């Protein structure tokens, strides 16, 4: 139940909220004051642990938070029910803050420093519950700042589903929903605080499906043709191919269906592949060779094969014009300080990572700025970065040394260490957006840099082609 306050109290509260947002320091104080609120939102999404394109509650909670704060929300973007854009303000410049909220299959974990499943189908092992929430917090505080200072411009939050393999942002880029954006800001949970120029591998993924003939595996094996043989022959050839592909290529697969019982020759089998490299041309070439291996495997095993493109992302294009502003603001915000309880949690996690001591300095400090970086992951932010000048940061939401996609990442992300790191990101992004609103010339310089980096003849071609969103890829 709501308590009713006297009118004078409401006026006073209204006035103080407005005053509280006039300077950058006020914005920081305001975000500090809302740490508990945003921590609860993040924890709810952590608890929902919804996988790509199934994030109805997670997306809904962020939509509601933004709508309650005065944003206009449009959902169901680009044919994706959980994709949305929330907007406040009008006119130039248009600054987009990206947010994600999907969990990873099979990584359910409680918020404790030992491996204990929470009994769910998925877990937030990439911290996207923090990603979505901190970006929402940043967007709302920028909105408050625009309003108090009566500054013109548009702040948008992009609710981006299915980053983990679903390439949600690619469909949004393809649909053109970033076309009128001037700058895009993003971040990612991690084990350190850094705002160097980002890098990521371009990526192409597909599910290869083999069809054979069922028969009794002992009584009539000659009547059968094993779809699993097709998968195994394909995997064999792709594994041999590893010797003859460029360095820094990554190829990985999981057999998602290998038949049901040894005494039945499987008439269906499926293998899910990723191919990655820093250059999308190399990825395309390798992917085409993987398809050839699949065709050869089908031919040799007397099966048939078809494949479905699942995801495809560009590499990440840095924009140093915006990146430097992000770094300066991260330095101003600073890192994370652990309480005694958090130290005890961190020490236990460190031991599970094979480390004798907890590396507190990494959580507390900011990594030195680098103009180039190599990082062996992929992100659909890549496609945004070829469309709009884009900059990002990483914040220490996990115990130092924790790899992404681990139970240790889920554990720290579900407690106060995750919330603290998330607020570093919220603050840094808010201050960076404010800097850009105050110096719109930055937009011109950033756009000139984008033009130069992607080249005159650049034309955006989505790696996943013209397929509709793979809404069922986690089902
Ligand atoms: Zn991620």
């Amino acid at each position: 139940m709501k308590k009713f306050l006297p009118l004078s109290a409401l006026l006073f509260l209204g006035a103080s909220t407005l005053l509280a947002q006039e300077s950058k320091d006020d914005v920081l104080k305001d975000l500090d004051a809302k740490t508990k609120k945003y921590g609860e939102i993040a924890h709810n999404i952590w608890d929902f642990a919804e996988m790509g394109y199934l994030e109805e509650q997670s997306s809904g909670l962020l939509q509601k938070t933004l709508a309650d704060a005065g944003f206009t929300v449009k959902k169901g973007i680009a044919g994706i029910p959980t994709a949305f854009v929330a907007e406040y303000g009008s006119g130039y410049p248009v600054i987009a803050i990206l947010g994600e909220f999907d969990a990873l299959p099979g990584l359910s974990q409680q918020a404790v420093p030992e491996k204990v499943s929470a009994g769910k189908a998925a877990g937030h092992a990439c911290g996207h519950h923090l990603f979505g929430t901190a970006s929402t917090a940043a967007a709302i505080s920028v909105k408050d700042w625009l309003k108090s200072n009566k500054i013109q411009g548009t702040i948008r939050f992009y609710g981006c589903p299915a980053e983990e393999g679903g390439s949600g942002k690619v469909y949004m880029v393809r649909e053109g929903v970033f076309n009128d954006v001037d700058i895009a800001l993003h971040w990612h949970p991690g084990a350190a605080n850094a705002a160097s120029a980002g890098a990521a591998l371009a990526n192409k993924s597909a599910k290869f499906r083999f069809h054979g003939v069922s028969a009794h595996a002992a009584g009539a094996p000659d009547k059968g043709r094993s779809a699993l043989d097709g998968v195994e022959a394909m995997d064999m050839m792709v594994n041999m191919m590893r010797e003859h592909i460029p360095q820094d290529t990554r190829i990985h697969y999981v057999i998602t269906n290998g038949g049901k019982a040894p005494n039945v020759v499987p008439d269906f089998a499926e293998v899910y592949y990723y191919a990655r490299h820093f250059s999308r041309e190399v990825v395309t070439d390798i992917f085409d060779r993987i398809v050839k291996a699949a065709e050869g495997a089908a031919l040799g095993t007397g099966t048939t094969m078809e494949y479905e493109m699942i995801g495809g992302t560009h590499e990440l294009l840095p924009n140093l014009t915006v990146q430097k502003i992000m770094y300066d603001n991260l330095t101003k915000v600073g890192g994370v300080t652990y309480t005694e309880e958090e130290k005890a949690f961190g020490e236990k996690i460190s031991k599970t990572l094979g480390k004798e001591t907890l590396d507190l300095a990494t959580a507390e400090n900011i990594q030195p700025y680098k103009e180039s970086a190599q990082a062996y992951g992929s992100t659909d932010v890549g496609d945004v970065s070829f469309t709009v000048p884009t900059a990002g940061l990483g914040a220490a939401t996990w115990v130092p040394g924790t790899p992404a996609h681990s139970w240790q990442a889920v554990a720290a992300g579900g407690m106060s260490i995750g919330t603290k790191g998330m607020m570093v990101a919220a603050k840094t992004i808010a201050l960076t957006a404010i800097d850009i609103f105050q110096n719109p010339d930055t937009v011109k310089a950033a756009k000139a840099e984008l033009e130069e980096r992607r080249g005159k003849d650049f034309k955006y071609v989505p790696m996943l082609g013209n397929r509709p969103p793979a809404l069922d890829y986690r089902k």
Side-chain angles (χ1 to χ4, degrees), residues 100 126-128 131 163-164 188-189 378 405:
E100 298 170 4
C126 209
H128 294 181
F131 187 165
E163 190 280 327
E164 298 289 354
H188 204 285
S378 301
H405 300 192

Side-chain angles (χ1 to χ4, degrees), residues 3-22:
K3 275 190 195 160
F4 290 93
L5 292 168
L7 186 61
S8 56
L10 284 173
L11 285 172
F12 174 74
L13 281 173
S16 66
T17 344
L18 288 181
L19 282 174
Q21 296 292 329
E22 274 177 8

Side-chain angles (χ1 to χ4, degrees), residues 53 55-56 59-60 63 73-86 99 101 157-162 168-169 171-172 177 469 471:
Y53 295 132
E55 319 97 327
E56 273 163 37
S59 172
Q63 287 176 41
V73 178
K74 259 190 252 165
K75 64 176 178 176
I77 301 288
I80 303 171
T82 51
F84 70 97
V85 177
F101 32 74
F157 174 92
Y158 279 71
C160 307
K169 293 181 200 72
Y171 301 105
M172 297 167 82
V177 295
L471 299 179

Side-chain angles (χ1 to χ4, degrees), residues 143-431:
K143 178 229 115 185
D144 289 341
W145 177 86
L146 284 171
K147 196 173 176 183
S148 332
N149 291 287
K150 298 187 176 64
I151 286 176
Q152 194 205 281
T154 307
I155 184 78
R156 281 195 201 141
F157 174 92
Y158 279 71
C160 307
E163 190 280 327
E164 298 289 354
S167 304
K169 293 181 200 72
V170 177
Y171 301 105
M172 297 167 82
V173 169
R174 196 176 74 180
E175 189 86 356
V177 295
F178 287 96
N179 287 358
D180 66 339
V181 173
D182 292 303
I183 302 275
L185 305 175
H186 70 111
W187 74 285
H188 204 285
N193 308 294
S196 293
L201 303 170
N203 182 7
K204 238 176 138 160
S205 66
K207 291 182 179 176
F208 293 84
R209 299 183 180 122
F210 288 80
H211 301 271
V213 181
S214 283
H216 193 292
D222 55 308
K223 298 281 188 297
R225 294 292 180 271
S226 168
L228 179 60
D229 285 357
V231 165
E232 289 192 278
M234 174 188 176
D235 293 346
M236 169 78 141
M237 280 188 270
V238 174
N239 286 331
M240 292 176 106
M241 208 173 91
R242 293 181 194 276
E243 193 180 343
H244 311 289
I245 53 177
Q247 293 291 345
D248 288 329
T249 303
R250 294 285 189 271
I251 302 177
H252 20 268
Y253 61 85
V254 287
I255 298 175
T256 40
N257 190 330
K260 298 276 181 272
N263 61 347
V264 179
V265 174
D267 65 350
F268 179 74
E270 183 187 77
V271 60
Y272 185 6
Y273 263 89
Y274 273 35
R276 323 197 209 201
H277 188 272
F278 288 106
S279 147
R280 63 189 183 282
E281 284 84 16
V282 171
V283 169
T284 302
D285 179 57
I286 288 170
F287 184 82
D288 291 347
R289 288 169 67 190
I290 291 174
V291 172
K292 287 284 171 221
E295 289 168 355
L299 190 66
T301 56
T303 57
T304 58
M305 183 280 298
E306 28 95 24
Y307 69 94
E308 182 187 0
M309 285 299 312
I310 298 294
T313 57
H314 280 48
E315 63 270 29
L316 199 58
L317 196 65
N319 194 293
L320 300 185
T321 308
V322 190
Q323 197 60 55
K324 280 179 202 132
I325 302 172
M326 188 77 100
Y327 175 76
D328 288 345
N329 283 314
L330 175 59
T331 309
K332 181 179 163 66
V333 170
V336 177
T337 313
Y338 282 18
T339 61
E340 289 307 317
E341 266 168 67
E342 289 160 351
K343 277 183 202 164
F345 185 97
E347 269 157 19
K348 283 185 186 155
I349 290 275
S350 294
K351 293 228 160 56
T352 70
L353 296 165
K355 293 178 194 302
E356 275 307 302
T357 50
L358 169 64
D359 172 18
L360 267 185
T362 296
E364 286 164 357
N365 299 332
I366 310 299
Q367 300 295 309
Y369 181 73
K370 285 192 219 142
E371 290 211 335
S372 65
Q374 277 204 324
Y376 290 86
S378 301
T379 170
D380 54 11
V381 177
D383 291 60
V384 178
S385 74
F386 274 84
T387 311
V388 183
T390 301
L393 82 146
T397 58
W398 306 328
V399 174
T402 302
H405 300 192
S406 62
W407 68 261
Q408 291 94 337
V410 188
M415 47 86 73
S416 54
I417 292 175
T419 306
K420 277 188 177 171
M422 164 183 99
M423 294 314 286
V424 169
K427 289 174 185 172
T428 305
I429 289 178
L431 297 189

